[in-house]
Amino acid sequence: MKIAIYPGSFDPVTLGHLDIIERASALFDKLIVVVMHNVAKSPMFTVEERMEFLRRTTSRLSNVEIDAFGGLLAGYAAQRGACTIVKGLRAMSDFEYEFQMALTNRKLNPNVDTIFLMTSAEYMYLSSSMVKDIALHGGKVADFVPPEIEEEIFHRMRKDG
Ligand code: COA
């Protein structure tokens, strides 16, 4: 069974992430979407909230599992028997950082390769931070996040802001 992992902060999941999830789930027998910790970020939503948003938006994809992990991605891949890490590439500016992560992950776990899916053009400049910023300032996020979570993101950000 070919198992792939799609890691990220997903704070929160956006339509750009969902585009990658849908396309990657068609390429592998199983796709594990895993909420992880990026040391450079302080998340707005809890791990449980981010997992719940992902579960809600991917429920129709039967080979997609949602998980969370607090350690190294390379170790998680070994633990789950995954052969591939999937990442989405947006603008050229993503490339150097992604290249560095892919090489590091392969050094840590030689059995895992990273593949990149080109983000669909309409999501090229989308990011979770942008979604949070729009919602915080009272803007509608319907064009950026899946409809199942739009209202909740909007109200949650307004409440916190
Ligand atoms: N559509 C829309 N937005 C996208 C996107 C897409 N297809 N792909 C990425 N993005 C956005 C994300 O929303 C995120 O936005 P933000 O910066 O506003 O939060 C940004 O691009 C960066 O995404 P990504 O590169 O996936 O980083 P991340 O912070 O989501 O995830 C981890 C990075 C968690 C995978 C990484 O830190 C990790 O592996 N941590 C575990 C510890 C570890 O193993 N460290 C060693 C790594 S070599």
Side-chain angles (χ1 to χ4, degrees):
M1 192 196 243
K2 290 247 182 255
I3 302 175
I5 292 176
Y6 180 35
S9 309
F10 303 110
D11 186 43
V13 59
T14 67
L15 286 174
H17 293 127
L18 195 58
D19 167 56
I20 300 290
I21 293 171
E22 281 167 353
R23 289 158 56 205
S25 74
L27 297 174
F28 294 92
D29 298 313
K30 180 171 183 164
L31 179 71
I32 305 170
V33 181
V34 58
V35 175
M36 299 203 81
H37 181 59
N38 181 335
V39 281
K41 294 177 181 172
S42 310
M44 174 69 64
F45 297 99
T46 66
V47 170
E48 202 33 68
E49 281 173 321
R50 286 179 271 157
M51 287 176 77
E52 173 53 26
F53 289 157
L54 279 161
R55 272 192 215 103
R56 242 188 268 165
T57 52
T58 62
S59 59
R60 75 208 134 75
L61 300 168
S62 60
N63 66 338
V64 171
E65 177 188 326
I66 308 302
D67 198 7
F69 189 69
L72 276 180
L73 176 57
Y76 180 76
Q79 192 179 306
R80 298 302 310 262
C83 55
T84 310
I85 293 166
V86 174
K87 296 290 311 241
L89 260 193
R90 296 168 303 167
M92 268 305 284
S93 52
D94 280 349
F95 182 77
E96 206 169 318
Y97 170 64
E98 291 295 348
F99 193 51
Q100 188 185 16
M101 281 207 291
L103 289 182
T104 308
N105 282 323
R106 198 155 51 152
K107 187 83 183 161
L108 293 169
N109 179 353
N111 297 320
V112 72
D113 248 313
T114 301
I115 66 160
F116 297 98
L117 294 182
M118 292 295 175
T119 301
S120 297
E122 63 266 46
Y123 307 126
M124 198 75 177
Y125 297 101
L126 186 53
S127 74
S128 298
S129 305
M130 201 179 82
V131 166
K132 286 179 280 192
D133 197 36
I134 294 168
L136 193 63
H137 291 94
K140 285 284 180 189
V141 290
D143 287 342
F144 310 113
V145 300
E148 297 89 339
I149 64 171
E150 181 209 333
E151 279 294 311
E152 201 168 329
I153 302 275
F154 183 73
H155 290 299
R156 181 57 212 287
M157 292 299 296
R158 296 294 287 162
K159 189 171 58 158
D160 287 352

